Amino acid sequence: MRVTNGDADVNAPVNFEGNAFPEGPRERLVVIGNGMAGCRAVEEILAREPERFEITIFGAEPRVNYNRIMLSPVLAGEKTFDEIVINTPAWYIDNGITLVSGDKVERIDRDTQTVIAASGRTEPYDKLLIATGSDPFIIPVPGKDLDGVVTFRDLDDVDRMLAAADKGGSAVVIGGGLLGLEAAHGLSLRGMQVSVIHLMPSLMERQLDEAAGFLLRSELEKRGQTILTGANTQEIIGKDGHVAGVRLEDGTEIPADIVVMAVGIRPATGLAKEAGLEVERGILVDDHMVTSDPNILSVGECVQHRGLCYGLVAPLWDMCRALADHVTDRATGYEGSVTSTKLKVSGIDLFSAGDFSGGEGCEDIVMRDAARGIYKRVIVKDNRIVGAVLYGDTTDGSWYFDLLKKGEDVSEIREALIFGQAFASGGALLDPNAAVAALSDDAEICGCNGVSKGQVVSCIEGGAHSLDAVRSGCKASASCGSCTNLVESLLAVTLGGEVETGPATMCRCTSFSHDDVRALIIEKELTSIPHVMQELHWSTPDGCASCRPALNYYLLCALPGVYEDDQKSRFVNERMHANIQKDGTYSVVPRMWGGLTNPRELRAIADVVEKYDAPMVKVTGGQRLDIFGIKKEDLPAVWADLNAAGMVSGHAYGKSLRTVKTCVGSEWCRFGTQDSTGLGVKIERMTWGSWMPHKFKIAVSGCPRNCAEATIKDFGVVCVDSGYELHVGGNGGIKVRATDLLCKVATEEEAMEMCAAFIQLYREEARYLERTAPWIERVGLEHVKLALADAEAVRAYAARFHHSQCFMQDDPWAKRAAGERADLHQHLATVRPSDSSYQLEKA
Amino acid sequence: MMTGDWLDIGPVGQIEAGTARTLPVEGAQELAIFHTLRGEFFAIVNACPHKKGPLSQGIVHGDVVTCPLHNWNISLRDGRALGDDEGCVPTIPLRVDAGRIYLLRAAVLGGGAEAAPAEAEV
Ligand code: SRM
Ligand SMILES: Cc1cc2nc3c(=O)[nH]c(=O)nc-3n(C[C@H](O)[C@H](O)[C@H](O)COP(=O)(O)OP(=O)(O)OC[C@H]3O[C@@H](n4cnc5c(N)ncnc54)[C@H](O)[C@@H]3O)c2cc1C
Ligand code: SF4
Ligand code: FES
């Protein structure tokens, strides 16, 4: 035994030359890759037939084999390199293994059955094992080769990061997956200012759904990291050959002293491909880890087995067992692995396994506990768990994973599954009602308001026979709502079948009503749709087509200027700022203030009709013109033309102010008492662009003959000699309702202020998709009158309306015409036939 | 990199999660490429089984799109109408590899059995 190239330091290029075995020639096994899979395979073989092979391992890294996954704790300062070494020099020596480290194999010659390393060393083999792992994927952007751009794969990378961290400053990590976040965590603990740039909208999107991604993001931001999602790196900026920052596609620049690329890995297949082995994404192997050459085997991240490449260690262990069985003639076979993931960031508990994308026949069981920051989702299909995502409490991760791998039928424990193993295996406790019944009287039900089971029960016995009555009676479940299930169980247990259902819940995703949700958004200062869903325990991961637009409106109304409108939660018309028609084209209605127009506008409309071949133009019931049959691709150009003539969006598509209808008024009409046209224009200028629970229509008539039909509008003004009668809650649609008289005022200013105040009251109180007529029927005219009884209150409502209008009165058409959100209007590309084939043309 | 049978239609980043974009195909039906909030991608024909509503314009939730015309819910996974509604829209096999989206060429041309193999160019 001879040790060359220095002493037996674990982290140095060391070569151990194995003994020539006296008892005669053995089969020669050469291993390329001194990493986790290669060495494990050797261990497995030695455990079966220690004397069968003469083994040589080549490793490109100048050190012994270590536990690669523990590089994250090394970076974070929680472990040293010595602590993560798996195979010490003694292991190689004791097993007679020749280790050639720091010497990369450059070629496999299958004809002569030899491998050739960079140093020129040539080693013959009977069996060859390729365990080259994978290479970090480098995104091909300008600046990728600058000094200070590093990957996260081996100890040298960690050393580079530590050297940068020593100097302090800023780090940018490109990639918000497992590796990227562990790198970010380590660098952040080492004192760097860290930004994570992630292409996808949600962190770790391959392992986490949007809800868990949101929680993870909030936690990392709390720790001071900057998380940029949906961010596409355009260039790495350099200064004097060293990185200085990163520029994103949207022009944002982030300064950086080091850039870590952690966007993914590629199986290292180069050697195999050159040697002519069959390679797709990975080196193709059969169930015995044999490649297309029977003398060459392969394991680890570099292989593709039954169509899959793996990037985690658990599958490697199974592969190595199958391989060792095969080469020692006990063939068992590898059948693929189901994997699970945990993030190694201290203080963050996160687990994911299997397929969490849902789908046909899949049922989501979701539990959220906002107070403790917990989100759990188990996906069940055909009574079997197919996936799980856990955040905040991962104690049951391995239990779910076990049920998943074994494919066990969970129908027996279905009801209690989400509460975890302790609960579900409790036998007698299988029925949640029974579990609640078994609680002692002083057991706490509602943590937020400190309400015990005894108090809830006496509240129910005192006459509170619905969830809502309990909420107002003893406050249980009135705050975060996470105990709603418990209270409902108590109602069921206490009353038997007598439970009354409260106001309808917002949709099937929540147990809260519209009013509850609105109140809680304000009380708990919720700021985004995922935030609401987590805090209010949504039972679906990302809501549905009915709650998403409602939440978007409630947030917009509660946080003017702060909340960023979520376009993808809007109905098509509001997203496209035009009305969709039955053939998929759009109609365009420019605003005509108070029903007034002029030659310039009419000419522009006429030109648009001709230029874009609009099949129809029509006078609407709202005193303006509607252009029909415009294609989504043409909308921005149509708007640009209309904008040029001074016209803006008429919001004929929106849950927003539609039209202010007027009559001619005192300026021309022989009966007119006031300038109804002028007031109508002023009111429309004040109110246009505002988002509402439903559409909102206004009219101003110049006298009680009421030619503008003000008494069937949401807000109607009827001018009289002595001033202005203000009417509310009218509707001319499905169910005609004449307005109620709200009040009479003397001046235009008062009329306008009351209009603003009434709109704001409606905006703040009505439920989404409730027009003023049904709203007033529900709350009563007296409620509205009372709310707007004194001047102070009117001023306050009006002021809130004006504040929110500061952010609303931007013509959405102008922004689109200027190129904003072009993706909503352009095709991705077009597929066209060419001579003999189909080709793609970029839009 | 996939070629041959798979048509490269560009990087994943061009479709915001929770939305869809359209891909007209000359001589065949327009397709809608969806990117869900859970990060999955799907391709289906851009016409609702009810009255041909442009599904690309609907609200996406989970792996379902709600048609913008009359609110049918269509599964992106298999194109089937959910709930009480009945109908099915064709789906196109889609793969994502190294941040790019690929469609099965033959299916793009309308399940075309005689689809000629072609080179993908973007
Ligand atoms: C274009 C227009 C008809 C016309 O050619 O005159 C029209 C067209 C539509 N109306 Fe209307 N309404 C139009 C004036 C009216 C009026 C008259 C008015 O505003 O003075 C009414 C009755 C007044 C009222 O709203 O109280 C009216 C009551 C409705 C209703 C019933 C509302 C209700 O609360 O009962 C609906 C259905 C709905 O909103 O759910 C509706 C829905 C629609 C929709 C948006 C249907 C839809 O969802 O696609 C139509 C859109 C067509 C399009 O693409 O442009 N439209 N609609 C009018 C556009 C006015 C404008 O300039 O913006
Ligand atoms: C920072 C980090 C954290 C991770 N965390 C986890 C985790 O928490 N859980 C988990 O399951 N997985 C984790 N992984 C993934 C896990 O480490 C890999 O799945 C595993 O190491 C793969 O083993 P392998 O043997 O296939 O590849 P490797 O361990 O990479 O070994 C391959 C070796 O081959 C060498 N080599 C390549 N080409 C040649 C050549 N031509 N000649 C000689 N030598 C060559 C390489 O230098 C390397 O040392 C993590 C990975 C990293 C980088
Ligand atoms: S009445 Fe209104 S909703 Fe009905 S067809 Fe006419 S425009 Fe459409
Ligand atoms: S066309 Fe899609 S629901 Fe009617």
Side-chain angles (χ1 to χ4, degrees):
Chain A
M1 173 76 43
R2 202 156 42 87
V3 178
T4 57
N5 282 8
D7 59 21
D9 187 345
V10 287
N11 184 20
V14 277
N15 290 359
F16 308 111
E17 299 287 346
N19 283 325
F21 290 94
E23 55 283 8
R26 303 179 178 200
E27 286 175 73
R28 288 163 304 185
L29 171 66
V30 172
V31 181
I32 310 177
N34 184 34
M36 296 191 73
C39 289
R40 179 58 164 253
V42 169
E43 284 181 1
E44 292 282 352
I45 294 169
L46 292 173
R48 286 167 180 71
E49 288 190 34
E51 318 227 306
R52 177 155 182 163
F53 293 100
E54 187 186 330
I55 302 175
T56 302
I57 305 179
F58 282 89
E61 289 185 63
R63 54 186 69 91
V64 295
N65 175 41
Y66 58 93
N67 190 347
R68 190 170 311 283
I69 78 175
M70 298 310 270
L71 286 177
S72 297
V74 170
L75 177 67
E78 291 154 1
K79 286 252 185 300
T80 62
F81 180 72
D82 285 352
E83 289 174 287
I84 72 166
V85 166
I86 300 177
N87 300 103
T88 59
W91 175 80
Y92 295 89
I93 294 166
D94 293 350
N95 290 293
I97 296 167
T98 301
L99 170 65
V100 188
S101 78
D103 195 4
K104 193 169 174 177
V105 171
E106 296 204 314
R107 208 160 63 78
I108 301 168
D109 187 335
R110 284 164 63 197
D111 295 336
T112 57
Q113 300 208 168
T114 49
V115 298
I116 301 101
S119 62
R121 181 168 177 149
T122 302
E123 202 69 41
Y125 66 83
D126 296 308
K127 288 264 182 253
L128 177 65
L129 172 57
I130 305 178
T132 44
S134 44
D135 298 318
F137 182 66
I138 313 269
I139 46 173
V141 289
K144 67 179 167 48
D145 299 321
L146 284 168
D147 197 22
V149 178
V150 303
T151 55
F152 190 15
R153 182 70 196 176
D154 59 28
L155 187 68
D156 299 315
D157 294 326
V158 173
D159 284 339
R160 275 178 218 119
M161 285 190 250
L162 291 179
D166 273 347
K167 294 196 210 109
S170 311
V172 167
V173 177
I174 304 180
L178 191 91
L179 271 192
L181 295 182
E182 290 184 5
H185 172 67
L187 290 169
S188 172
L189 282 187
R190 299 277 182 177
M192 294 195 88
Q193 186 55 48
V194 180
S195 304
V196 178
I197 296 176
H198 193 49
L199 181 63
M200 293 299 179
S202 182
L203 293 175
M204 288 181 72
E205 78 287 342
R206 282 168 54 209
Q207 291 89 18
L208 301 182
D209 56 19
E210 193 199 23
F214 163 77
L215 289 172
L216 174 61
R217 178 193 183 128
S218 312
E219 176 60 30
L220 294 175
E221 285 174 339
K222 244 187 264 165
R223 296 175 176 205
Q225 295 182 24
T226 304
I227 311 286
L228 299 165
T229 49
N232 201 356
T233 306
Q234 190 182 51
E235 183 182 352
I236 299 173
I237 313 163
K239 194 170 168 246
D240 308 329
H242 193 274
V243 291
V246 172
R247 180 167 27 249
L248 304 182
E249 215 170 49
D250 67 5
T252 315
E253 283 187 15
I254 308 149
D257 300 294
I258 180 171
V259 171
V260 183
M261 281 239 196
V263 291
I265 52 171
R266 277 297 166 86
T269 57
L271 277 180
K273 211 181 279 176
E274 271 167 43
L277 298 178
E278 274 177 38
V279 171
E280 282 176 11
R281 257 189 318 152
I283 303 169
L284 296 188
V285 292
D286 65 11
D287 289 355
H288 307 287
M289 315 316 293
V290 181
T291 67
S292 55
D293 177 334
N295 289 325
I296 305 184
L297 308 144
S298 186
V299 282
E301 282 184 347
C302 54
V303 308
Q304 178 175 331
H305 172 259
R306 298 191 185 179
L308 294 177
C309 297
Y310 294 94
L312 294 166
V313 294
L316 313 186
W317 308 153
D318 296 335
M319 289 180 193
C320 290
R321 271 192 290 274
L323 172 130
D325 283 342
H326 168 73
V327 297
T328 56
D329 314 316
R330 315 172 149 76
T332 48
Y334 170 66
E335 301 185 333
S337 307
V338 193
T339 55
S340 69
T341 313
K342 278 192 160 190
L343 182 69
K344 301 190 297 299
V345 168
S346 40
I348 293 183
D349 290 321
L350 179 164
F351 173 90
S352 121
D355 178 7
F356 61 86
S357 53
E360 189 66 23
C362 282
E363 187 192 359
D364 283 321
I365 311 173
V366 175
M367 192 187 89
R368 310 197 193 217
D369 182 339
R372 291 190 296 144
I374 289 171
Y375 169 77
K376 297 190 194 182
R377 172 160 164 245
V378 175
I379 301 95
V380 176
K381 185 173 183 175
D382 300 334
N383 294 323
R384 283 172 175 78
I385 296 183
V386 295
V389 181
L390 309 177
Y391 186 94
D393 175 4
T394 52
T395 35
D396 287 306
S398 46
W399 180 59
Y400 293 133
F401 190 46
D402 202 45
L403 291 173
L404 185 157
K405 279 193 297 191
K406 293 189 181 135
E408 259 174 52
D409 189 323
V410 295
S411 46
E412 291 282 294
I413 52 171
R414 164 73 184 71
E415 288 300 318
L417 190 61
I418 198 72
F419 300 108
Q421 184 172 21
F423 199 83
S425 351
L429 298 185
L430 273 183
D431 171 9
N433 285 353
V436 173
L439 292 174
S440 65
D441 267 359
D442 55 7
E444 186 174 88
I445 298 292
C446 174
C448 299
N449 296 300
V451 189
S452 69
K453 176 187 164 191
Q455 286 167 293
V456 177
V457 170
S458 59
C459 177
I460 296 170
E461 286 168 350
H465 289 182
S466 68
L467 179 62
D468 237 42
V470 172
R471 282 181 181 162
S472 53
C474 67
K475 288 273 168 288
S477 139
S479 292
C480 83
S482 59
C483 58
T484 304
N485 286 339
L486 294 176
V487 174
E488 280 172 346
S489 290
L490 281 175
L491 277 161
V493 169
T494 315
L495 298 173
E498 312 290 298
V499 185
E500 294 159 15
T501 46
T505 61
M506 201 160 147
C507 63
R508 272 188 290 177
C509 305
T510 176
S511 60
F512 284 111
S513 66
H514 278 269
D515 297 345
D516 291 336
V517 171
R518 293 204 82 167
L520 289 165
I521 283 175
I522 292 165
E523 186 181 311
K524 299 170 79 70
E525 300 177 7
L526 308 180
T527 54
S528 69
I529 291 178
H531 196 185
V532 174
M533 290 182 175
Q534 172 63 19
E535 291 292 316
L536 305 188
H537 307 96
W538 241 242
S539 63
T540 48
D542 49 20
C544 70
S546 100
C547 59
R548 291 245 309 273
L551 291 181
N552 190 50
Y553 168 70
Y554 293 151
L555 288 160
L556 201 69
C557 179
L559 302 164
V562 177
Y563 175 68
E564 195 183 324
D565 203 338
D566 184 27
Q567 291 289 302
K568 61 184 175 295
S569 296
R570 284 201 177 264
F571 180 64
V572 53
N573 287 358
E574 297 188 348
R575 202 179 328 120
M576 302 304 286
H577 298 289
N579 295 60
I580 195 163
Q581 304 295 315
K582 60 191 282 189
D583 63 354
T585 64
Y586 292 83
S587 77
V588 170
V589 187
R591 207 165 272 292
M592 283 184 177
W593 306 96
L596 296 179
T597 184
N598 56 41
R600 184 165 173 237
E601 290 181 354
L602 292 172
R603 241 178 241 120
I605 290 176
D607 287 345
V608 161
V609 171
E610 286 182 353
K611 184 165 162 192
Y612 299 94
D613 245 340
M616 179 163 100
V617 53
K618 168 177 188 308
V619 179
T620 73
Q623 294 188 338
R624 44 199 192 165
L625 292 168
D626 196 345
I627 307 163
F628 288 88
I630 304 291
K631 292 204 249 348
K632 76 168 192 276
E633 304 85 82
D634 288 336
L635 285 171
V638 165
W639 294 332
D641 288 358
L642 295 172
N643 279 162
M647 281 182 281
V648 297
S649 164
H651 293 81
Y653 47 79
K655 306 296 172 228
S656 60
L657 178 88
R658 295 282 174 94
T659 58
V660 179
K661 218 166 151 173
T662 66
C663 70
V664 284
S666 59
E667 213 186 324
W668 296 91
C669 178
R670 63 203 165 105
F671 295 114
T673 60
Q674 313 279 357
D675 177 13
S676 53
T677 327
L679 177 58
V681 173
K682 280 187 209 159
I683 291 181
E684 188 161 357
R685 294 252 177 226
M686 172 179 82
T687 53
W688 78 280
S690 73
W691 294 107
M692 316 254 197
H694 205 308
K695 60 186 170 194
F696 195 97
K697 300 176 176 181
I698 300 179
V700 187
S701 286
C703 85
R705 285 168 195 77
N706 192 13
C707 296
E709 300 164 334
T711 50
I712 50 164
K713 294 289 177 273
D714 297 279
F715 186 84
V717 183
V718 178
C719 304
V720 289
D721 278 328
S722 55
Y724 305 81
E725 287 175 7
L726 306 183
H727 297 261
V728 296
N731 192 316
I734 302 162
K735 187 161 166 268
V736 181
R737 181 182 195 272
T739 47
D740 294 307
L741 179 65
L742 177 64
C743 62
K744 197 181 140 191
V745 297
T747 64
E748 276 198 351
E749 289 67 40
E750 287 169 282
M752 291 194 43
E753 182 160 67
M754 190 56 91
C755 175
F758 175 76
I759 291 178
Q760 187 65 12
L761 181 69
Y762 168 63
R763 295 183 75 228
E764 290 177 10
E765 292 197 353
R767 297 171 186 159
Y768 191 66
L769 294 190
E770 186 177 41
R771 278 192 77 176
T772 56
W775 170 59
I776 289 184
E777 300 260 297
R778 178 167 67 80
V779 300
L781 179 66
E782 281 318 302
H783 169 78
V784 175
K785 282 189 162 170
L786 206 65
L788 302 174
D790 67 287
E792 200 49 53
V794 172
R795 241 192 315 276
Y797 276 111
R800 287 209 290 283
F801 180 68
H802 294 313
H803 173 68
S804 114
Q805 284 297 83
C806 301
F807 311 101
M808 304 288 185
Q809 292 194 322
D810 257 348
D811 178 25
W813 288 357
K815 292 188 215 156
R816 292 287 167 87
E820 188 177 274
R821 290 310 305 260
D823 61 312
L824 295 179
H825 299 278
Q826 288 166 358
H827 294 304
L828 210 46
T830 305
V831 185
R832 291 189 203 284
S834 62
D835 293 347
S836 62
S837 62
Y838 270 74
Q839 296 207 331
L840 205 66
E841 264 171 42
K842 283 313 274 186
Chain B
M1 174 124 321
M2 279 181 246
T3 49
D5 295 344
W6 295 90
L7 185 69
D8 180 346
I9 59 165
V12 293
Q14 57 191 348
I15 310 175
E16 187 200 350
T19 70
R21 292 188 67 184
T22 44
L23 184 71
V25 183
E26 261 182 32
Q29 297 195 81
E30 178 167 290
L31 307 181
I33 320 297
F34 286 83
H35 181 184
T36 70
L37 286 170
R38 299 174 195 177
E40 285 191 286
F41 289 81
F42 298 100
I44 62 175
V45 166
N46 189 25
C48 177
H50 179 216
K51 294 190 173 177
K52 307 236 173 305
L55 295 169
S56 59
Q57 306 300 86
I59 292 184
V60 185
H61 43 104
D63 58 357
V64 174
V65 62
T66 301
C67 176
L69 292 195
H70 316 98
N71 296 328
W72 279 27
N73 284 315
I74 310 294
S75 161
L76 298 174
R77 215 164 276 285
D78 57 15
R80 248 181 293 169
L82 303 175
D84 296 335
D85 299 317
E86 280 190 24
C88 192
V89 49
T91 58
I92 289 81
L94 175 153
R95 290 181 71 168
V96 172
D97 187 40
R100 296 187 76 83
I101 306 170
Y102 297 83
L103 299 182
L104 190 63
R105 192 176 286 270
V108 169
L109 309 179
E114 68 283 286
E119 274 307 298
E121 252 164 59
V122 181

